[in-house]
Amino acid sequence: MRVNRAWLGLAVLTLPTLLVAMDMTALLLALPQLSADLGATGVQQLWITDGYGFTVAALVITMGTLGDRIGRRRLLMIGAAAFLVLSVVAAFSVSPLMLIVVRALLGVAGASLTPSTLALITDLFRDERRRGRAIAIWATCQFTGGALGPVLAGLLLQHFWWGSVFLVAVPAMALLLLAGPFLLPEQRSGQVGRLDPVSVGLSLVAVLAVVYGIKQLTVEGAQTGPAVALVAGAAVGAVFVRRQLRLETPLLDLGLFRNRPFTAVLIALVLAGVAMAGTGLMVTQYLQGVLGHSPVAAAVLFAPMGLGTAAGTMLAPALARRMDRTTAIAAGLACSALGALLLVAVGGAGSLPLVMTGITVLALGTGPLFALGTGLVVGSVPPHRAGSAASMSETGNYLGGSLGLGLLGAVGTLVYGSRMSGTSGSLTEPLSGSPSGSPSGSLPHELPHPLAGSVSDSLAGAIAAAGHLPAGQAAELLHAARAAFTTSVHVTGLVAAVLFAGLALLVHVMRPATPARARTSEPAATAGR
């Protein structure tokens, strides 16, 4: 009976996991419609989409530790109730500012949900094998939600208004609030001490500034404000680390990093997030800008990346029964490297099957990392610190995703710009040429000068510029731009392959000294303490 109750509790916990992941991605397709309805400017659209992720990333550390102190089920119920109410308010927002504020508050509620669900799994499943299977299911729901978010949004927008995207969360959170008190255990411990307000403030400022700086640099390029935010965030993070090392009961137990497998997995979570976010960004643009698919079709075609990760997490427990966890994680990352290498070969009209195979294999290989690695991180601490450990894992994921969009996005833009400059000469020089056409190696004279720079900045800019040209010249420009962007996909795939291969080697080298340690969480729990 207890086992049945545990699995029913897990089913309830998958609801917030699925919804938080969907809320990260579902809004992307609804953004044009709601922006037109509310009259949102470009900057306001950016904050509508990013405000949620910013607050989740900034507060997940605090919420994970807060759950250890006041009770994980209590925090989960508070967060679910807030998420339900705020989702309704967001659906009926009447101005961009109102929606921005509500999205930020939704991020606060979302930050309380994710570490609480993962920590509660450790309370429900004390047996390591069952806990590993439960974490695999949890991770599957997380990535399935991210993959299905745009697809579900596309279906809803065909029949309802943009607010329906937010209302999806209402019945799921209502079910969690009704069933949670009966199926989920409550655990808190006096051993964890008081919450340090200074540490909370430092972590909030550090993570928020770093994530904001990375995202803004990705959107705006080299700007003083985002660069200052990034440097300031890193400096505040250094102060946070120093304070944690001096506190008797820190917000985050940095002593855990003495555990080699724990450290390797956290590094892998961050850098795998970099590789996945970077390749995801380039592939979605490739599907639309190069292959010509609509946003909805591109979302469906891109779904195998999230579903591949979900499938990999489900297969991870079976791999763990045949080999130790670190070997399974390293083997999966090597598989991801092969998937990323497939992207180096894409090109031409028949490249869609290769792209889809590449992202599927890449994603499938990350499954053991997200399932077994997350289990290793949570299992590396005593039960009363599980929420704090879960927040470490989630923060690594958020930072990795932000870094991927920033770093690999910048690499892709740089490669694209250099290829376009090499193909079309100096794309930003004043336009000249004869009325009959343009000489080879330069832009046609008919292109309005304000659009000339955008041609070498992005594929979207080249597509927009082509709309101002005669058919023949537009086709020539689009051919060059699409070839340049394909090259940037090749380079991004190669960088991702190197990252995955390096992480596979790191996890293998930093594996436990004996196989017995790899299969038990208890020695890991004491190794870093």
Side-chain angles (χ1 to χ4, degrees):
M1 187 68 179
R2 174 179 291 181
V3 172
N4 291 336
R5 182 178 177 181
W7 289 109
L8 286 173
L10 176 64
V12 170
L13 289 175
T14 61
L15 296 175
T17 302
L18 194 67
L19 264 296
V20 170
M22 287 178 62
D23 215 57
M24 286 284 192
T25 58
L27 192 62
L28 297 178
L29 285 181
L31 189 61
Q33 190 178 118
L34 72 86
S35 298
D37 191 16
L38 299 179
T41 65
V43 174
Q44 289 172 332
Q45 291 179 44
L46 180 67
W47 281 108
I48 289 171
T49 55
D50 288 345
Y52 178 84
F54 281 156
T55 49
V56 171
L59 288 172
V60 70
I61 293 175
T62 299
M63 292 299 183
T65 306
L66 182 62
D68 291 338
R69 284 161 168 75
I70 71 170
R72 294 146 192 173
R73 188 182 68 189
R74 176 186 294 181
L75 183 62
L76 182 68
M77 294 296 103
I78 294 172
F83 206 95
L84 187 155
V85 173
L86 291 168
S87 295
V88 175
V89 176
F92 296 97
S93 294
V94 296
S95 70
L97 180 59
M98 179 180 176
L99 186 55
I100 290 170
V101 173
V102 174
R103 285 282 291 172
L105 293 175
L106 272 169
V108 177
S112 69
L113 296 175
T114 305
S116 297
T117 56
L118 187 52
L120 281 167
I121 289 174
T122 66
D123 296 336
L124 285 168
F125 300 92
R126 295 305 176 92
D127 176 74
E128 185 179 352
R129 177 175 292 185
R130 289 193 174 120
R131 185 173 68 239
R133 196 181 311 153
I135 289 176
I137 294 172
W138 173 86
T140 300
C141 290
Q142 190 175 47
F143 290 103
T144 301
L148 295 182
V151 179
L152 178 60
L155 294 174
L156 288 172
L157 292 172
Q158 288 182 358
H159 304 285
F160 306 102
W161 95 115
W162 56 265
S164 61
V165 173
F166 294 105
L167 294 180
V168 172
V170 173
M173 292 301 170
L175 181 58
L176 172 61
L177 288 170
L178 291 173
F182 301 100
L183 297 175
L184 302 176
E186 182 61 286
Q187 185 185 72
R188 55 183 174 270
S189 173
Q191 301 179 42
V192 293
R194 298 180 60 185
L195 197 66
D196 177 38
V198 176
S199 294
V200 171
L202 290 172
S203 69
L204 182 65
V205 172
V207 176
L208 190 58
V210 168
V211 173
Y212 169 79
I214 293 170
K215 283 184 174 288
Q216 291 300 104
L217 285 172
T218 303
V219 175
E220 301 177 2
Q223 298 286 333
T224 303
V228 170
L230 193 58
V231 173
V236 174
V239 175
F240 172 78
V241 169
R242 290 186 61 185
R243 184 171 182 84
Q244 302 316 294
L245 293 174
R246 294 199 304 266
L247 291 176
E248 184 178 350
T249 56
L251 187 67
L252 285 183
D253 185 3
L254 299 179
L256 287 170
F257 286 97
R258 300 190 191 101
N259 181 347
R260 287 159 56 91
F262 177 93
T263 302
V265 165
L266 276 184
I267 293 173
L269 285 171
V270 174
L271 294 184
V274 169
M276 291 189 72
T279 54
L281 175 68
M282 300 303 292
V283 167
T284 52
Q285 292 183 70
Y286 183 84
L287 290 172
Q288 296 177 73
V290 177
L291 300 185
H293 294 287
S294 68
V296 175
V300 174
L301 293 170
F302 186 68
M305 192 167 197
L307 297 177
T309 306
T313 60
M314 288 301 292
L315 292 173
L319 286 176
R321 288 195 292 270
R322 292 167 173 78
M323 61 186 75
D324 62 78
R325 286 183 293 179
T326 49
T327 299
I329 293 170
L333 291 171
C335 176
S336 295
L338 294 176
L341 282 177
L342 291 178
L343 298 178
V344 179
V346 302
S351 62
L352 180 60
L354 189 60
V355 171
M356 296 187 68
T357 302
I359 62 174
T360 303
V361 173
L362 182 157
L364 188 68
T366 61
L369 170 65
F370 292 118
L372 303 178
T374 300
L376 190 150
V377 169
V378 176
S380 295
V381 298
H384 65 269
R385 296 285 290 173
S388 177
S391 69
M392 280 187 169
S393 171
E394 290 304 300
T395 302
N397 288 336
Y398 287 120
L399 287 178
S402 297
L403 284 169
L405 294 174
L407 297 180
L408 290 194
V411 169
T413 300
L414 180 63
V415 173
Y416 171 83
S418 64
R419 289 282 296 179
M420 286 300 289
S421 297
T423 301
S424 302
S426 180
L427 297 176
T428 57
E429 291 178 354
L431 300 176
S432 62
S434 62
S436 59
S438 61
S440 177
S442 64
L443 279 176
H445 80 286
E446 292 90 344
L447 182 61
H449 183 61
L451 292 175
S454 66
V455 169
S456 59
D457 289 338
S458 68
L459 177 59
I463 293 173
H468 295 267
L469 297 174
Q473 294 170 342
E476 182 181 351
L477 175 60
L478 288 176
H479 176 76
R482 286 166 175 161
F485 193 83
T486 300
T487 301
S488 68
V489 172
H490 295 166
V491 173
T492 303
L494 183 61
V495 172
V498 171
L499 279 175
F500 281 125
L503 291 176
L505 181 61
L506 175 70
V507 171
H508 179 73
V509 170
M510 296 184 71
R511 63 192 300 177
T514 63
R517 281 184 62 193
R519 295 191 181 95
T520 61
S521 60
E522 195 59 33
T526 59
R529 305 222 28 109

